[in-house]
Amino acid sequence: MKLDVCFTPNDFNAEKYSGYYAVVIDVLRATTSIATACANGCQCIMPVSSVEEARAIKLQNPDVLLAGEREGLLISGFNLGNSPYEYSREQVAGKTIVMTTTNGTVALNKAATAPKVYTMSFANASAIIYVLQQAKKDVVFVCAGSDGKFSLEDTLCAGLAVEQLHHITELSDTAMAVQAMYRDFSGNLPNRVLQSSHAAYLCRIGFENDIALCLQQDMLDVAPVFAAGVIAL
Ligand code: MLT
């Protein structure tokens, strides 16, 4: 089992990672919200890259929920923002959610060529690690990052997976780096992540409570899979 890590979606290359399973990580907050929506019984989530695409789908399918964010905030006319607190059972059970976020849904669509694409966050880390361990395939973790740049929280979540997986035959340089970072920071993860630029931004716009929620490990026993344009269990 070879493990590799892309620090940003731009580092993902379909040819280079041909045959690898992909695991997309956007801890703050897209993949935490996706895990929450799946755990609360949504029918599926369609991750799209643009607001226009989401609105066009809603025009054809009025029953879908539009969800996501730009600059962390609710998009005009959308039903849900990107706070995991909004993806309650009352809101999402049985619903199709069309989601567009700044980095997370972009990363998902970039990684879509992989034979299997999972979405991971701290909230569903063990569920994902379990399925990867069973599959014994090569894995590339694709961190959503922030506007094309490295982000600490996604990297640490990848580090947790690298640390916990067994039967590894090869670790890339980035996989070794995320493992070392995770080992160094894991004793004080919440404080470290609070110092990250996206966490600081979310605090400034009033989503401080989301950060604590997004850092709670293994609240959700779900392994969402992205296939044929939809994320489902
Ligand atoms: C993203 O996809 O960039 C995010 O999940 C941003 C956020 O809502 O915090």
Side-chain angles (χ1 to χ4, degrees):
M1 203 176 168
K2 291 193 242 171
L3 300 185
D4 205 341
V5 178
C6 296
F7 287 145
T8 73
N10 288 339
D11 299 334
F12 180 84
N13 174 315
E15 249 173 69
K16 176 174 176 192
Y17 295 113
S18 154
Y20 279 63
Y21 280 11
V23 177
V24 174
I25 303 174
D26 187 3
V27 169
L28 297 176
R29 298 165 291 175
T31 55
T32 307
S33 292
I34 287 168
T36 307
C38 288
N40 283 332
C42 78
Q43 187 170 333
C44 66
I45 300 164
M46 299 169 68
V48 299
S49 298
S50 73
V51 173
E52 295 67 34
E53 222 178 322
R55 289 198 175 120
I57 295 171
K58 174 90 173 172
L59 269 183
Q60 301 298 318
N61 309 274
D63 289 345
V64 303
L65 292 178
L66 292 186
E69 56 69 43
R70 283 299 179 270
E71 298 180 358
L73 301 169
L74 181 71
I75 299 162
S76 166
F78 274 40
N79 306 96
L80 304 170
N82 197 28
S83 167
Y85 282 108
E86 295 178 67
Y87 293 75
S88 62
R89 187 162 289 277
E90 295 67 39
Q91 287 286 356
V92 305
K95 298 284 190 183
T96 293
I97 300 170
V98 180
M99 177 185 254
T100 180
T101 71
T102 311
N103 303 287
T105 56
V106 174
L108 273 159
N109 285 306
K110 190 87 201 277
T113 52
K116 201 101 178 181
V117 183
Y118 291 102
T119 73
M120 180 179 175
S121 59
F122 284 109
N124 68 331
S126 287
I128 295 295
I129 291 165
Y130 178 79
V131 294
L132 296 177
Q133 197 66 77
Q134 298 303 306
K136 296 187 178 68
K137 298 283 186 192
D138 298 336
V139 181
V140 56
F141 295 90
V142 183
C143 298
S146 196
D147 297 322
K149 296 200 195 105
F150 173 96
S151 79
L152 184 68
E153 63 280 2
D154 298 340
T155 312
L156 288 171
C157 189
L160 164 70
V162 174
E163 178 73 350
Q164 294 197 351
L165 283 164
H166 303 294
H167 310 299
I168 297 164
T169 54
E170 195 181 302
L171 287 181
S172 69
D173 288 9
T174 50
M176 282 191 270
V178 301
Q179 185 179 37
M181 270 178 64
Y182 177 76
R183 285 181 179 169
D184 196 25
F185 286 11
S186 59
N188 196 11
L189 210 68
N191 282 333
R192 294 294 194 172
V193 171
L194 266 174
Q195 289 163 6
S196 71
S197 55
H198 193 56
Y201 176 71
L202 288 173
C203 287
R204 283 202 298 281
I205 62 169
F207 289 110
E208 191 163 357
N209 291 341
D210 284 11
I211 300 163
L213 184 66
C214 291
L215 293 176
Q216 278 180 34
Q217 216 173 298
D218 298 332
M219 298 181 293
L220 307 169
D221 189 20
V222 290
V225 180
F226 178 39
V230 297
I231 300 168
L233 294 180

